[in-house]
Amino acid sequence: MSSPTTTASLNKAIATVAFVLPMIYMYRKNKSTLEEQRHIREEREQERAFLSSLAKQPSSQLLPPPLPEIVQRVLSRCSFAYLSTVDVDSTSSHLSLMRFTYLPEEETIIMSTNVKTKKYDMLEKQNGVALLIHDFGDGNNLNGEYSITLNGKCSVVKDVVLAEKYRSLHLQNNPEYPQFIVGKDIAILRVDVVSARICNIDDRVHKWNVVSGNE
């Protein structure tokens, strides 16, 4: 049998471990969070520096392809865009708020839409679209510093295998909205980016073209 002294020492050791382990866990968790926040701040500073350099250049200067890495980063981070289409029949435009997924390796935007919508009917008749993406900053900070307008050719992905590949990537990027991505009446849209305009808070506009850097 263990002596009272041994039992007391064991209980004390268990109590110490039970007290210290949560503290170690919280310390490591907070350290990881602080490192992640620092990394995000560094990325934002790089983006602001890039935009500041644009502001010092003539607005007519063209950005050569591919899209700058920082712009790709913004597109990868954002998920909302305004999609502009044309209603050929009534000679008017149509605007839709869309969830999107950017594929940098293809310079492609993936979206989805219900086939029983006006938007889908219009895209069946024309494929030239514009997308406006605005960077809203971090968290609740809505003081975004720039917007990106993408022009491209939009098509409904008819290939079943390719459509499911894009659907999976789109759902992965927007897991909170399966109702807009998965379903028998949900079509997958692909926008091949042709050109882009990047406008910063100083109203400096810079252009990019996927082919030659010229519009």
Side-chain angles (χ1 to χ4, degrees):
M1 293 180 63
S2 301
S3 67
T5 303
T6 303
T7 302
S9 298
L10 181 60
N11 289 338
K12 184 178 180 180
I14 293 173
T16 301
V17 171
F19 176 75
V20 172
L21 282 180
M23 293 182 65
I24 294 174
Y25 170 76
M26 291 303 299
Y27 170 76
R28 290 180 174 175
K29 182 178 180 181
N30 290 337
K31 183 179 179 182
S32 176
T33 301
L34 289 173
E35 289 176 350
E36 183 179 348
Q37 290 175 347
R38 187 186 68 208
H39 178 68
I40 291 174
R41 284 197 299 270
E42 289 174 352
E43 284 191 341
R44 299 299 183 273
E45 288 171 3
Q46 291 176 3
E47 292 169 7
R48 292 187 183 98
F50 173 76
L51 291 173
S52 296
S53 68
L54 287 185
K56 296 175 183 178
Q57 300 170 5
S59 296
S60 59
Q61 181 166 324
L62 296 167
L63 296 174
L67 279 170
E69 185 268 338
I70 287 178
V71 176
Q72 291 186 358
R73 187 191 302 165
V74 173
L75 292 175
S76 297
R77 184 174 72 241
C78 297
S79 56
F80 278 114
Y82 294 98
L83 171 67
S84 176
T85 50
V86 177
D87 187 340
V88 179
D89 296 330
S90 60
T91 61
S92 66
S93 57
H94 184 73
L95 198 62
S96 306
L97 181 60
M98 304 288 289
R99 279 269 177 179
F100 76 91
T101 297
Y102 173 61
L103 304 181
E105 65 277 5
E106 300 181 26
E107 295 292 7
T108 296
I109 298 289
I110 301 301
M111 299 180 293
S112 56
T113 185
N114 195 299
V115 297
K116 300 174 183 178
T117 59
K118 179 179 181 179
K119 172 172 66 261
Y120 182 83
D121 291 339
M122 289 189 294
L123 289 172
E124 286 279 83
K125 299 175 183 177
Q126 54 98 39
N127 60 12
V129 299
L131 284 164
L132 174 63
I133 296 105
H134 179 67
D135 176 46
F136 284 107
D138 301 321
N140 295 322
N141 176 18
L142 300 184
N143 297 318
E145 297 185 18
Y146 47 93
S147 63
I148 301 171
T149 301
L150 303 176
N151 292 92
K153 297 178 180 179
C154 183
S155 59
V156 178
V157 182
K158 303 289 188 180
D159 184 292
V160 176
V161 175
L162 187 58
E164 290 311 307
K165 171 191 170 184
Y166 287 151
R167 192 188 308 276
S168 177
L169 292 171
H170 192 34
L171 183 61
Q172 208 174 350
N173 194 49
N174 299 276
E176 309 92 343
Y177 298 90
Q179 67 272 30
F180 298 113
I181 301 172
V182 180
K184 66 176 183 178
D185 291 327
I186 305 296
I188 296 298
L189 307 176
R190 168 178 172 150
V191 179
D192 294 308
V193 180
V194 174
S195 63
R197 290 177 176 81
I198 304 158
C199 180
N200 66 11
I201 199 169
D202 297 310
D203 200 26
R204 295 278 184 169
V205 179
H206 292 263
K207 303 175 183 179
W208 171 90
N209 185 280
V210 71
V211 178
S212 61
N214 296 297
E215 287 192 292

